[in-house]
Amino acid sequence: MAYEVEAPKYVRLAQTIQQRIEDGTYPPGTRVPSENQLVQSFGMSRPTVVRALELLKRDGWLESRQGYGTIVRGRPAGVDQKDRRGSEALARDESRTAGRLVEVGRVSIPARVASALGLPKRAKVLMRRFLVEEDGEPVELVSSYFPAGLVDGTELESADPLSGGTRAHLESRKKVRFDHVTERVSARLPEREEAELLELPEGVPVLSVLVVACDASGQVLQVSDVLLPADRQELEDTYRLS
């Protein structure tokens, strides 16, 4: 029998505060309630409140100002674009997407992914790497990593393009349920193979959207590193997900 578990308390609290920012309850430029007020209002512990606030600060919804408290910044620039990349990484049907599957296999986990999965840096995990193309030009390189326990009984190790997306595949084959996603955006210089696949001139950086998808208990189910050529992005051209 499968049991449904609620998302971690700090995630639910962060979602509630974020919703209040979006609906205008906490307008940009104003202070959010103090930690003590949030503890009393939501009946949660101080560590839970602190963790929720830190999550919102990291994602750009809030900021701390010395001597003034925690301030609402409003909806972060480019947040819709990040949501789009994260959703696409989980739902992309490789068999119907323009591009090609360039690599499938067990690899040593990169340090930035190891910390997200909670694994040692030299651990082996399954990676699926897909190059997305538009009009014959590479526009996105997606490297998805999966914990070993989720691979058996699936087609994730198949060298053929996967139909239906990894989220739908795992939910149907392993009876897991994706609940929430954390996205971390950064810029870096690509590794040689990444630059070659994306056809980048030397010295051109990439934007990395690290998509960490978890179940309701916080267990990581998939980590995808979505690389976008920095010289081809227009992050101000965003839209809302329906």
Side-chain angles (χ1 to χ4, degrees):
M1 178 181 295
Y3 294 90
E4 294 185 5
V5 183
E6 287 188 308
K9 288 183 178 180
Y10 78 95
V11 171
R12 295 190 323 231
L13 178 56
Q15 290 171 338
T16 298
I17 296 173
Q18 178 182 319
Q19 181 60 47
R20 293 188 179 185
I21 294 172
E22 294 193 274
D23 67 18
T25 303
Y26 301 151
T30 63
R31 284 186 292 182
V32 296
S34 67
E35 291 178 8
N36 285 337
Q37 290 172 322
L38 291 172
V39 167
Q40 294 174 5
S41 297
F42 292 95
M44 295 185 179
S45 67
R46 183 177 297 276
T48 297
V49 168
V50 170
R51 195 171 180 186
L53 293 175
E54 287 302 317
L55 179 62
L56 291 166
K57 291 174 187 175
R58 187 197 65 196
D59 288 346
W61 294 90
L62 303 174
E63 66 176 329
S64 294
R65 293 183 187 174
Q66 189 171 4
Y68 196 68
T70 301
I71 306 302
V72 177
R73 296 183 62 185
R75 190 173 183 83
V79 69
D80 296 304
Q81 187 77 1
K82 289 194 298 174
D83 290 343
R84 175 191 176 195
R85 301 299 179 184
S87 296
E88 286 181 350
L90 300 177
R92 176 173 288 113
D93 187 330
E94 296 172 349
S95 66
R96 296 177 177 270
T97 300
R100 57 192 174 92
L101 188 63
V102 295
E103 185 179 354
V104 179
R106 305 272 178 157
V107 300
S108 296
I109 189 170
R112 59 186 176 278
V113 178
S115 61
L117 285 173
L119 294 174
K121 292 182 180 179
R122 295 184 181 180
K124 292 283 187 177
V125 294
L126 178 70
M127 179 187 74
R128 293 183 69 86
R129 174 169 284 176
F130 192 88
L131 183 67
V132 181
E133 298 176 339
E134 289 182 3
D135 299 323
E137 179 184 35
V139 295
E140 188 173 322
L141 181 63
V142 184
S143 301
S144 296
Y145 303 87
F146 304 90
L150 283 182
V151 174
D152 294 341
T154 72
E155 296 177 13
L156 292 176
E157 290 189 280
S158 171
D160 296 324
L162 191 67
S163 298
T166 54
R167 174 182 177 178
H169 187 75
L170 285 170
E171 287 186 338
S172 64
R173 298 298 180 90
K174 302 299 288 188
K175 306 305 179 185
V176 295
R177 181 178 178 182
F178 284 69
D179 179 80
H180 58 276
V181 170
T182 299
E183 298 177 4
R184 306 167 188 171
V185 180
S186 60
R188 64 176 173 86
L189 288 175
E191 298 175 2
R192 184 175 65 178
E193 182 181 4
E194 295 169 342
E196 291 175 352
L197 288 168
L198 288 169
E199 299 179 7
L200 292 176
E202 185 176 355
V204 174
V206 291
L207 296 179
S208 168
V209 182
L210 194 67
V211 181
V212 183
C214 305
D215 65 13
S217 70
Q219 178 68 40
V220 178
L221 303 175
Q222 174 178 337
V223 176
S224 294
D225 191 9
V226 182
L227 297 186
L228 311 165
D231 61 345
R232 304 172 204 164
Q233 301 306 308
E234 296 181 2
L235 290 183
E236 72 277 9
D237 190 16
T238 61
Y239 63 92
R240 289 184 179 273
L241 295 173
S242 57

